[in-house]
Amino acid sequence: MNAPPDMNAMKALSSVDSHMRGGEPVDLVVLVLPGFSQLALHAFIEPFRIANVLSKLALFRWRIGGLDAGPVMGASGLSVAVDMTVDDLDVCIGRKAPNHFAIIAGDLVSPRMPQITNVLRTFARRGIPISALGTAPWLLAQTGLLSGRRCTIHWSKLAAFSEMFQQTQARDALFIKDGQFATCAGELAAFDLAVDLISGHVNGTIAQEICRYATVDGQRSGSNRQTGPSGLAFAGASAKLLMAMRIMEEYVENPLSMAEVSQRVGISRRQLERLFSAHVGMPPVRHYLRVRVEHAKRLIEGSSLPIIDIAMACGFMSASHFAKAFRTFHGVSPQQCRIALPAWVGPGLG
């Protein structure tokens, strides 16, 4: 059982803005799409519930929306009942719009859905804050609303997202807020976004207490990277090694030489090779090749880009060199990898 906040915290929790006391609760509508992550949904909703519990005030209320009136099945096979449909949202916009609209999508990025596009654009015109979690930033980008904006998406779709929506400023981050739009990697990062949103409505103390109540070790910044560098054998490795690995991941399309990498890190090439041998178990040049191949694999799995374009985007100057490198790490050709993918991959992403 969670321990209650101390007396000083309780006093701070009660000192919410007067409009939060006497006015209406902040109204959230969360639209979930089939295949959504239950983890992301509950990580996003629970902080608002905990804020109400700790403050003993109805600060927030939420409704779940779906494409139709039936329960929406998540990726886990569990379903969630809905309070409203997309059609209801159109009516809602015309009467009393929510204070915040969020949309959560799972691993399967859905094709263009006109009814969702219309809702997103209408809410955007009304100036209503919109949060897109998991792969939902893809849907938001399809509307053109993220053009020129900083944004993020779950790391597994980040490479494909960056290639498909080059007018956006995609970043590896837990969540990013740019104007009225917030984009979030989903999963546990949904908790961090929710706590940040709550801080904007109430005060910082309640955000701290929400983390304490949920046994979370402090509020994470949205700018935190979603994942560490790939191939890291264990935590606590050299900071120089981490820097080298991140440089490699940043320079995929135009690969650097090992001399350039070591120069940017501030060590000799021999030192760089020793670090990779000790912590990664392979020479830095091979690790760099693996980074580029893995980036290519994510593009194959997450986009309908031609294989030759993917090869070029990952720094390979010929299709034959790319195919040989890809087969080295995955045992199949890039074309065979794409053929083996489920039917939803490709056209649904465009």
Side-chain angles (χ1 to χ4, degrees):
M1 184 173 178
N2 293 300
D6 59 34
M7 292 306 297
N8 289 333
M10 287 299 295
K11 290 178 182 178
L13 290 174
S14 65
S15 63
V16 296
D17 295 338
S18 59
H19 77 274
M20 295 295 291
R21 287 177 175 275
E24 290 290 318
V26 174
D27 185 28
L28 300 99
V29 170
V30 183
L31 178 66
V32 293
L33 301 182
F36 72 94
S37 165
Q38 291 275 3
L39 177 59
L41 173 62
H42 293 289
F44 185 70
I45 292 294
E46 281 299 296
F48 296 103
R49 180 191 68 82
I50 295 171
N52 289 350
V53 170
L54 296 180
S55 65
K56 294 182 170 57
L57 295 169
L59 301 179
F60 304 95
R61 68 182 177 197
W62 50 91
R63 291 170 287 170
I64 305 297
L67 296 178
D68 53 45
V72 185
M73 181 175 290
S76 64
L78 301 177
S79 298
V80 61
V82 303
D83 305 303
M84 61 195 313
T85 69
V86 172
D87 292 336
D88 296 327
L89 283 172
D90 286 333
V91 176
C92 178
I93 294 171
R95 295 177 182 173
K96 186 178 184 301
N99 302 108
H100 196 102
F101 177 68
I103 180 169
I104 302 178
D107 286 341
L108 307 185
V109 182
S110 303
R112 296 178 188 272
M113 291 179 278
Q115 65 271 45
I116 293 180
T117 298
N118 292 338
V119 166
L120 289 171
R121 286 177 174 164
T122 303
F123 277 165
R125 285 196 300 270
R126 292 282 298 271
I128 296 169
I130 298 174
S131 294
L133 294 82
T135 60
W138 197 291
L139 298 174
L140 196 56
Q142 285 179 337
T143 67
L145 293 171
L146 294 181
S147 180
R149 293 184 179 274
R150 294 177 300 108
C151 57
T152 192
I153 194 170
H154 189 270
W155 67 266
S156 65
K157 299 292 186 293
L158 187 58
F161 183 91
S162 299
E163 289 296 326
M164 294 295 291
F165 304 106
Q166 296 185 12
Q167 72 277 19
T168 67
Q169 299 177 33
R171 301 287 186 271
D172 178 4
L174 295 178
F175 67 88
I176 293 176
K177 296 194 298 182
D178 190 338
Q180 74 183 101
F181 304 108
T183 51
C184 175
E187 308 305 343
L188 291 177
F191 180 92
D192 303 292
L193 173 60
V195 172
D196 186 87
L197 295 175
I198 291 168
S199 298
H201 284 288
V202 197
N203 55 46
T205 301
I206 196 168
Q208 297 169 14
E209 285 303 313
I210 290 169
C211 292
R212 180 171 178 260
Y213 187 94
T215 66
V216 173
D217 187 21
Q219 182 180 357
R220 294 187 297 176
S221 168
S223 62
N224 285 7
R225 288 169 59 101
Q226 295 177 40
T227 60
S230 60
L232 190 60
F234 53 86
S238 164
K240 296 291 187 180
L241 174 64
L242 293 175
M243 187 184 303
M245 296 175 85
R246 285 179 177 145
I247 287 172
M248 291 176 182
E249 293 184 350
E250 290 172 5
Y251 288 87
V252 170
E253 185 170 357
N254 298 297
L256 304 174
S257 68
M258 288 304 101
E260 290 173 313
V261 172
S262 58
Q263 183 179 18
R264 288 169 185 253
V265 173
I267 57 177
S268 69
R269 179 168 178 173
R270 189 177 181 84
Q271 288 175 305
L272 185 69
E273 290 173 347
R274 282 201 297 264
L275 283 174
F276 272 86
S277 176
H279 298 295
V280 185
M282 65 176 67
V285 67
R286 183 172 177 80
H287 173 79
Y288 202 174
L289 180 63
R290 184 174 68 174
V291 167
R292 291 159 57 203
V293 167
E294 290 304 315
H295 186 81
K297 185 171 183 286
R298 288 193 291 272
L299 287 176
I300 291 171
E301 294 174 337
S303 78
S304 55
L305 290 171
I307 296 297
I308 186 60
D309 289 352
I310 291 175
M312 299 293 288
C314 298
F316 295 95
M317 294 297 102
S318 71
S320 59
H321 182 205
F322 174 50
K324 181 179 179 181
F326 195 93
R327 189 181 291 275
T328 297
F329 288 98
H330 295 292
V332 296
S333 70
Q335 291 82 359
Q336 289 170 323
C337 178
R338 171 160 284 172
I339 290 171
L341 294 173
W344 58 267
V345 174
L349 300 179

